[in-house]
Amino acid sequence: MAAVLGAGCTHIPSLSIGDEFMSTMCKWALANPELPAELRVPANWPERMRSEWGDDQGLAAAAEHRKALREQFDRVRDSLDAFAPDLVVIWGDDQYEMFHEEIIPPFVVCAFPDMTTQLWQRPMYGAMSNYWNEDRDTPYKIRGHRAAGKYLASELLREGVDTAYSYQPPEGRPLPAAFVNTIRYLDWDGNGFPYPTVFVSVNCYGRRVVTHKGGVAYPHEFPKDSADFDPPSPTPARCFDVGATIGRALAASPWRVAVMASSSWSHAFLTEKT
């Protein structure tokens, strides 16, 4: 009998890297040549930021932050286990990972089969070790649910949502961090994530997904001509409607489904203001 559980997680801050790397993005922001001089001085920062930066550039705060987040991930995992879903549906953004210049779809239902991936072969781990000190070639198994993915794509199309769908990721490209990080954080001890999963990819990068190739850039590196930007993401209203349609489809399905939003807290580099 159908039942739906809602949950939310983060895939950034990046708990998959060591504590010594947790402040990397802050240090990158401080190196911005256009940052006002007074903002380079910790004495001018908000009290909470000064406290976390401390005298070790955030190292001790990173360990405390990881502990707090892990406790909340454990809460989510305990709720999943108690609910015992037949499958998990994870919404997340593709940051120039599976999808490049050849196609940037607004929404994709990823009806993937069971697969084995290598979590640590992403470019970012070339300079930073992972928290578990696992080898770059360490395999990680992810269970898929093609039947549920096909069902969901069919229902979305029937309801007027012109979604794309995929049966396998492009060869040689990584699964989005929004998906694999979320699963790995819910499987902190590395015993395996037991639940079949359907991913729903959303183009959240919008006008800078190809322009920045999913990476970060200082404001002075942004294109000055708006014609150089990419087309926008789907609107928040459209995302809301698509989510509601997915909810109705899953409620009418034969499965117990946990739906999970995988967010990212540290993407302020996508806006000039921040």
Side-chain angles (χ1 to χ4, degrees):
M1 181 178 178
V4 179
L5 172 73
C9 286
T10 178
H11 58 270
I12 293 289
S14 194
L15 304 181
S16 55
I17 58 178
D19 291 347
E20 66 272 26
F21 300 114
M22 192 79 79
S23 61
T24 296
M25 284 300 296
C26 184
K27 294 173 182 176
W28 174 86
L30 289 172
N32 180 358
E34 294 189 341
L35 186 71
E38 64 270 18
L39 295 183
R40 302 181 189 280
V41 181
N44 295 326
W45 297 352
E47 188 281 328
R48 176 71 179 271
M49 185 175 181
R50 293 197 308 272
S51 174
E52 291 188 353
W53 189 251
D55 57 6
D56 60 1
Q57 298 188 345
L59 184 61
E64 295 174 3
H65 187 56
R66 183 186 305 278
K67 179 177 181 295
L69 283 175
R70 277 202 58 197
E71 290 173 352
Q72 301 309 313
F73 270 102
D74 288 345
R75 284 185 61 196
V76 175
R77 179 58 192 270
D78 289 345
S79 296
L80 279 178
D81 293 342
F83 182 69
D86 298 315
L87 72 140
V88 177
V89 174
I90 300 178
W91 287 286
D93 56 330
D94 183 277
Q95 302 171 21
Y96 198 78
E97 291 158 307
M98 290 193 296
F99 305 115
H100 291 189
E101 281 84 347
E102 65 272 15
I103 186 169
I104 302 291
F107 304 101
V108 185
V109 176
C110 300
F112 295 157
D114 294 353
M115 63 179 64
T116 299
T117 188
Q118 285 76 38
L119 302 177
W120 316 125
Q121 289 189 354
R122 299 168 174 278
M124 69 173 288
Y125 297 112
M128 296 183 286
S129 60
N130 64 78
Y131 180 78
W132 297 271
N133 291 316
E134 294 177 346
D135 186 81
R136 283 176 59 83
D137 295 326
T138 300
Y140 189 80
K141 294 183 178 180
I142 295 177
R143 296 184 62 192
H145 200 311
R146 177 167 290 181
K150 291 174 69 174
Y151 165 84
L152 182 55
S154 298
E155 289 302 298
L156 286 171
L157 289 165
R158 190 177 64 82
E159 291 291 331
V161 176
D162 295 326
T163 185
Y165 61 89
S166 174
Y167 289 156
Q168 63 182 27
E171 185 175 357
R173 294 184 184 170
L175 293 176
F179 302 146
V180 294
N181 284 9
T182 298
I183 287 178
R184 191 64 173 88
Y185 297 165
L186 290 169
D187 175 34
W188 191 264
D189 294 327
N191 296 321
F193 190 68
Y195 305 112
T197 306
V198 172
F199 304 122
V200 179
S201 173
V202 184
N203 172 21
C204 297
Y205 254 71
R207 305 209 68 192
R208 297 193 173 111
V209 61
V210 174
T211 302
H212 290 171
K213 300 191 183 304
V216 299
Y218 294 125
H220 68 273
E221 297 172 332
F222 293 173
K224 301 305 180 186
D225 187 343
S226 62
D228 292 331
F229 284 113
D230 308 311
S233 299
T235 66
R238 184 57 171 164
C239 290
F240 187 94
D241 290 342
V242 171
T245 305
I246 289 174
R248 291 193 297 271
L250 295 177
S253 78
W255 302 293
R256 295 175 61 82
V257 186
V259 291
M260 182 170 298
S262 175
S263 70
S264 46
W265 298 347
S266 304
H267 283 17
F269 58 81
L270 286 176
T271 62
E272 295 187 41
K273 178 180 177 181
T274 51

